[in-house]
Amino acid sequence: SEQLSSQDHYDYGMRAVIAVLRAAGNLKRKHPEECEFVLTLRAIIDVNLCKFLAHDVPLFYGIVGDLFPGVVLPKTDYENLHAAVIDQCTARNLQPTEYFLTKITQLYEMIVVRHGLMLVGETMSGKSSALAVLAGALTDLHEKGLNDEKEVIATYLNPKAVTMGQLYGETDNVTQEWREGVLGLHFRKLANMRETHIRKWLVMDGPVDAIWIENMNTVLDDNKKLCLPNSEIIAMTGLMNLIFEVADLAVASPATVSRCGMVYMEPAEVGWKPQFKSWVSEARVMYGNEAHDRLSTLFETFLPASVEKVGELKKISPAGEGNLTASLTRLFDATLKDLITGYENSSDVSNDAAHTAGIASDESESSVVSRYLNPPITAIDASFLFALVWSVGGCVDTKSRSAFDTFLKSAIASKTSSLSCPETFWRDESATVYDFKISAPKGAGVERLHGIAWQKWIDSIPAQARIIPKDLPFDATIVPTKE
């Protein structure tokens, strides 16, 4: 604890020691002939490694290496589990990276040892996906009769979406009747399931604070009993787990932290590539192979450098690499589909719902997909640059826009030989990249997109719309601007 960094979710108290002893006991029963030094080292690593940040991991290995010199750990056999996890990732269009597999394995090990645990990490670190994939993998193993695994039933709650009374239950001030809370209702439902082949997970997906989490201390203790305000006590069963999915533990008390096992997931370790690969595999079906190859080149060329540049600038709100990637892919899809369908040139907005869904009432799904196939490179490049400006570049404040504008124009200038972008977009010294929109010929269809161009937002406003009548009431005055 003196050598590693100080984090809100680190705990080295007696409860952490008990968790190591339990893990060691489980390993001893599973491998009675194995050397106890090996089992102890394995238990220490399994319980503690999963909560450390990336920069603390090498130091931790150095510490345990000094404590157990010459002890070499045999590789744990998770072949069946990893195979099931990879199958689940494939079915859910997720990327089974080495880091993701490692975290799922650590999550599984923690679920076996602790009945209460926390998945800690910022948005887009893969917490929800890890839980869903592990639940599906364990259920698959149960159905195949492998590893003596159990089926998983998971119930999700957001504790901050309701009041304390709605969460734990309360007495009506007028009638004095007891009103059941959602936590007690679902906790009792899972506790009353006596099947021995089912794992029950109650997942609390939301911020942890000292107001509602302190009431969970009795159930997170070795007592494993939930005490409700009406004096009802509900005991957990053996295959039941309380899982908290949180961004951080900045306001959680040390008492709560010490009662839970920790699995920490870092967005920086996930990166943007897994998310992009999942999206671009769907883009291949939607837009074709040529578009897939072009998008791969564009993302590799511009996204990492743009995210790094934005990290140096002041942002309006925090946005990580994963958030920016998600914004970029969604905005690209919306922009390109609007260009193809001609929606941005249409004055008829009566079919908004059908357009948003991307499918008309009289069209099959295959015909809708074919509508978007093989867009020209000019349309792909334009949609990507427009999406890049308003996703990655859109999160910075007004003063920082000029710096991002300079960076992006320089990046485009260095790639003009391979990028189909007109000079009006990146050579105009009097305007920034934020001042332009994509203009396409009227109509619909892919072929007409060979004639797309860049146009200033202000130029898209009709001249007559810029004139404000003298007799117009002040409260009805709308001043069009380039923003």
Side-chain angles (χ1 to χ4, degrees):
S1 63
E2 295 177 357
Q3 298 184 52
L4 301 181
S5 64
S6 178
Q7 303 293 333
D8 293 324
H9 64 278
Y10 285 6
D11 174 65
Y12 309 101
M14 291 305 298
R15 287 190 177 92
V17 176
I18 293 174
V20 172
L21 294 176
R22 285 175 178 159
N26 291 338
L27 290 171
K28 183 64 175 177
R29 285 187 288 272
K30 191 174 180 179
H31 308 284
E33 304 300 326
E34 186 63 81
C35 171
E36 292 190 355
F37 284 103
V38 173
L39 298 179
T40 304
L41 179 57
R42 169 63 66 190
I44 292 174
I45 290 177
D46 288 351
V47 172
N48 291 284
L49 181 63
C50 53
K51 66 186 175 187
F52 292 132
L53 274 67
H55 62 265
D56 282 333
V57 171
L59 185 55
F60 171 72
Y61 274 122
I63 294 172
V64 296
D66 293 339
L67 294 174
F68 297 88
V71 177
V72 179
L73 292 179
K75 187 176 181 179
T76 308
D77 182 18
Y78 283 122
E79 182 179 352
N80 291 335
L81 177 62
H82 286 174
V85 167
I86 292 173
D87 290 341
Q88 280 291 314
C89 288
T90 303
R92 298 171 185 269
N93 193 23
L94 299 173
Q95 305 305 311
T97 62
E98 182 179 355
Y99 176 79
F100 194 57
L101 288 176
T102 300
K103 284 300 172 182
I104 290 179
T105 304
Q106 293 173 351
L107 177 60
Y108 171 72
E109 292 169 343
M110 189 59 67
I111 286 174
V112 172
V113 176
R114 306 288 286 264
H115 68 280
L117 61 143
M118 292 188 175
L119 259 178
V120 187
E122 297 177 10
T123 305
M124 308 302 288
S125 59
K127 303 189 299 295
S128 298
S129 296
L131 269 178
V133 168
L134 179 59
L138 294 179
T139 301
D140 289 347
L141 290 176
H142 168 73
E143 293 174 352
K144 295 176 181 178
L146 299 174
N147 292 18
D148 193 27
E149 270 307 333
K150 313 293 190 294
E151 179 187 354
V152 175
I153 293 179
T155 300
Y156 288 80
L157 297 176
N158 183 354
K160 295 297 289 182
V162 295
T163 64
M164 283 284 289
Q166 293 169 334
L167 183 63
Y168 288 101
E170 61 184 348
T171 302
D172 189 280
N173 292 329
V174 178
T175 63
Q176 297 300 306
E177 292 181 349
W178 171 254
R179 291 188 296 198
E180 185 77 84
V182 291
L183 176 60
L185 180 68
H186 290 289
F187 193 95
R188 185 187 302 105
K189 179 181 178 180
L190 295 178
N192 289 337
M193 296 174 63
R194 301 299 179 182
E195 291 85 351
T196 58
H197 65 279
I198 297 178
R199 292 184 184 273
K200 285 87 67 176
W201 295 355
L202 184 56
V203 184
M204 314 289 279
D205 188 352
V208 166
D209 59 38
I211 298 176
W212 71 268
I213 194 65
E214 291 299 321
N215 294 326
M216 303 286 289
N217 283 346
T218 55
V219 74
L220 294 174
D221 273 335
D222 289 340
N223 298 323
K224 299 184 181 180
K225 294 180 179 179
L226 177 65
C227 300
L228 298 177
N230 65 340
S231 301
E232 181 183 3
I233 298 176
I234 309 174
M236 292 182 70
T237 56
L239 291 175
M240 190 171 168
N241 291 93
L242 272 177
I243 303 176
F244 301 89
E245 191 178 326
V246 299
D248 58 64
L249 296 171
V251 294
S253 67
T256 300
V257 173
S258 66
R259 285 173 164 84
C260 295
M262 298 290 168
V263 179
Y264 186 77
M265 302 187 71
E266 293 185 79
E269 294 296 309
V270 177
W272 64 272
K273 287 188 176 181
Q275 186 178 351
F276 167 72
K277 288 179 180 178
S278 296
W279 171 78
V280 83
S281 64
E282 296 177 342
R284 182 196 293 271
V285 177
M286 182 67 68
Y287 306 121
N289 292 329
E290 186 179 6
H292 170 274
D293 297 339
R294 185 65 172 182
L295 286 169
S296 299
T297 302
L298 290 172
F299 271 76
E300 288 280 0
T301 303
F302 288 98
L303 182 58
S306 299
V307 171
E308 183 179 354
K309 181 62 180 180
V310 165
E312 303 170 359
L313 305 176
K314 184 178 180 181
K315 294 188 282 289
I316 298 174
S317 62
E321 195 174 25
N323 301 91
L324 297 177
T325 304
S327 298
L328 176 55
T329 55
R330 290 167 184 166
L331 190 54
F332 173 86
D333 276 332
T335 303
L336 184 56
K337 289 178 180 179
D338 276 356
L339 288 174
I340 293 173
T341 57
Y343 183 79
E344 79 288 347
N345 290 321
S346 174
S347 59
D348 180 14
V349 294
S350 61
N351 203 23
D352 277 353
H355 171 78
T356 303
I359 182 169
S361 56
D362 59 344
E363 289 180 309
S364 65
E365 185 176 352
S366 60
S367 65
V368 170
V369 171
S370 64
R371 177 203 299 175
Y372 301 123
L373 274 177
N374 303 319
I377 295 299
T378 52
I380 295 174
D381 289 358
S383 299
F384 174 81
L385 290 174
F386 182 82
L388 183 67
V389 169
W390 291 107
S391 57
V392 180
C395 69
V396 300
D397 64 0
T398 304
K399 292 182 180 179
S400 299
R401 284 188 174 187
S402 59
F404 186 80
D405 170 67
T406 302
F407 157 78
L408 186 56
K409 285 180 177 178
S410 175
I412 294 173
S414 65
K415 300 294 180 182
T416 50
S417 60
S418 59
L419 189 67
S420 57
C421 178
E423 293 189 2
T424 54
F425 179 69
W426 57 274
R427 277 195 182 277
D428 192 338
E429 298 290 342
S430 63
T432 68
V433 291
Y434 297 93
D435 296 329
F436 290 90
K437 66 184 286 290
I438 304 172
S439 176
K442 291 186 179 298
V446 171
E447 291 302 322
R448 74 185 218 293
L449 295 184
H450 290 284
I452 64 173
W454 289 91
Q455 177 188 24
K456 290 184 179 180
W457 289 98
I458 194 69
D459 294 339
S460 65
I461 303 174
Q464 61 271 21
R466 305 180 198 177
I467 302 174
I468 301 175
K470 293 182 179 180
D471 58 345
L472 188 69
F474 179 78
D475 59 351
T477 303
I478 299 177
V479 181
T481 68
K482 64 179 181 180
E483 296 294 333

